[in-house]
Amino acid sequence: MTRRSRRFAGVPLPLALVLTVSACGDSPSITTGGSPQARHIAGSWWLLLWLATGVYVIVGTLVVVASVRRARRRSGGEQADRGQQDAPAVDNRFILIGGLIVPVVILGVVAVDTVRVANRIAPAAAAPDAPVQIRVEGERWWWRVEYPDEGVVTANEIHVPIGEEVDITLVSDNVIHSLWIPQLNGKQDMIPGQVNHLRFTADREGTFLGRCAEFCGVQHAHMQFQVHAESPARYDAWLRANGADATSVAGDAARTGRTFFETSSCAGCHTVRGTSANGTAGPDLTHVGSRATLAAGSLPNTAAGMEEWLAHTQSVKPGSLMPQVPLTTAQIESLVAFLRGLQ
Ligand code: CUA
């Protein structure tokens, strides 16, 4: 923050306000990047901001000067008027420089910078050598996340170790989505029939927000996820825990919930490894209790949030492919006990 403050010292107040807002806390801003790729993009953003600010200030100043001159001329009487008529009507040099040369130089600088950054943030090609391989599938409206080498399947959250290159394979079998983690890299589309890749190397620990950046239907706005960048040791521990089958169920309510889950329509769409539930239409719930949110960022993953989701699925997320299953309060409570225990 101190480095930022010094850099912003002396800027005009409105600009300082913009900068202050953009630097705020947890907002997924490209100006608080957690990878070299994001910082390259942020560099371009700052370049554009300063160029645009410069143009704005110069044009604004000229407009004010011209208005003042015109007002003075009007009040200055006929003599001044005659003086003006003797002056050349138009200064062609000014039009040549301000209207042609300066814009060409500015656009040239922006074009060179864009090509430079596009090359540095890694093209959308596979990096088979990248130590971390993840496959993310865009669903309506959530994210299916797989670590093929480790046999881990989860949803709506991605864990990565800091300091290691990550290659995310992006696919979709329904409509076009776009995976965007502003603090880690630019957007990359998930297009049916095509395989794209997103690569980045997180270089600091943190939780980075991601969201779908391509309109994909009625719940596009509720298609969020989190990226947890953590130390390699914590990442390995997470992989081991999430690669294992569901933890054993403790308590009567949870046991009742498990039986209900396995014998009701839940099991038709969801997998809980280690039980007989093996549906694949919806998110894998083997370790759902350890996740931060429910329904792709729609609700916090608390007991109350889970009850809300089960009781009012279609009002929390209208149009969601998860149907509103009629459940009694007792059934909801036992399901919540079972699912919250899946750590
Ligand atoms: Cu998926 Cu918008």
Side-chain angles (χ1 to χ4, degrees):
M1 199 61 211
T2 46
R3 192 168 57 91
R4 200 168 281 281
S5 305
R6 259 182 273 128
R7 182 144 51 110
F8 296 161
V11 298
L13 185 61
L15 181 59
L17 282 175
V18 169
L19 302 181
T20 308
V21 170
S22 71
C24 273
D26 284 345
S27 72
S29 165
I30 57 163
T31 59
T32 56
S35 72
Q37 290 81 3
R39 279 190 289 281
H40 288 312
I41 296 173
S44 279
W45 188 85
W46 285 111
L47 176 69
L48 285 173
L49 179 73
W50 288 118
L51 286 172
T53 304
V55 170
Y56 180 83
V57 169
I58 290 168
V59 171
T61 306
L62 291 177
V63 168
V64 170
V65 167
S67 308
V68 169
R69 272 191 177 179
R70 190 177 163 88
R72 276 202 192 139
R73 212 186 301 152
R74 275 192 179 156
S75 58
E78 230 167 80
Q79 201 171 355
D81 231 19
R82 270 204 301 278
Q84 279 298 324
Q85 278 161 11
D86 296 339
V90 181
D91 187 341
N92 285 328
R93 268 180 319 168
F94 183 74
I95 292 177
L96 186 69
I97 295 170
L100 188 66
I101 295 176
V102 171
V104 164
V105 169
I106 289 177
L107 292 177
V109 168
V110 171
V112 168
D113 182 70
T114 302
V115 171
R116 187 184 60 93
V117 168
N119 285 332
R120 284 187 177 181
I121 62 176
D129 295 342
V132 182
Q133 298 284 335
I134 305 174
R135 183 179 188 275
V136 179
E137 195 167 348
E139 301 282 355
R140 281 168 292 171
W141 288 269
W142 55 281
W143 310 86
R144 189 189 300 272
V145 178
E146 290 174 53
Y147 294 70
D149 298 339
E150 292 84 3
V152 170
V153 182
T154 183
N156 306 324
E157 68 179 48
I158 299 170
H159 288 246
V160 298
I162 56 172
E164 291 184 27
E165 188 180 18
V166 175
D167 177 358
I168 303 184
T169 301
L170 303 169
V171 292
S172 166
D173 69 352
N174 43 86
V175 297
I176 300 176
H177 304 273
S178 182
L179 184 127
W180 188 27
I181 316 154
Q183 288 163 292
L184 293 175
N185 206 337
K187 300 167 189 171
Q188 194 61 255
D189 282 356
M190 314 167 111
I191 302 169
Q194 186 174 322
V195 178
N196 283 347
H197 289 266
L198 182 73
R199 284 150 57 182
F200 59 81
T201 307
D203 54 13
R204 69 172 168 87
E205 290 188 39
T207 298
F208 304 110
L209 296 180
R211 56 165 52 252
C212 183
E214 178 69 41
F215 181 72
C216 54
V218 66
Q219 286 299 333
H220 160 68
H222 281 150
M223 196 166 166
Q224 299 161 24
F225 62 100
Q226 296 184 341
V227 178
H228 300 278
E230 48 207 11
S231 67
R234 282 185 59 193
Y235 168 73
D236 287 340
W238 178 85
L239 267 186
R240 269 197 306 279
N242 274 262
D245 283 352
T247 41
S248 60
V249 173
D252 285 346
R255 267 190 290 275
T256 309
R258 170 174 169 161
T259 305
F260 182 77
F261 191 94
E262 289 182 290
T263 53
S264 71
S265 55
C266 305
C269 290
H270 296 284
T271 289
V272 176
R273 279 171 275 136
T275 75
S276 63
N278 59 3
T280 54
D284 184 301
L285 300 179
T286 307
H287 297 282
V288 66
S290 68
R291 297 180 202 153
T293 71
L294 294 170
S298 303
L299 287 169
N301 191 5
T302 58
M306 208 173 263
E307 282 172 22
E308 172 82 1
W309 176 238
L310 292 174
H312 307 288
T313 312
Q314 287 298 321
S315 14
V316 172
K317 202 163 176 175
S320 159
L321 299 192
M322 169 142 158
Q324 180 70 66
V325 181
L327 296 166
T328 66
T329 306
Q331 285 168 336
I332 289 177
E333 280 171 6
S334 63
L335 277 175
V336 170
F338 167 56
L339 295 169
R340 302 247 331 133
L342 298 176
Q343 291 293 319

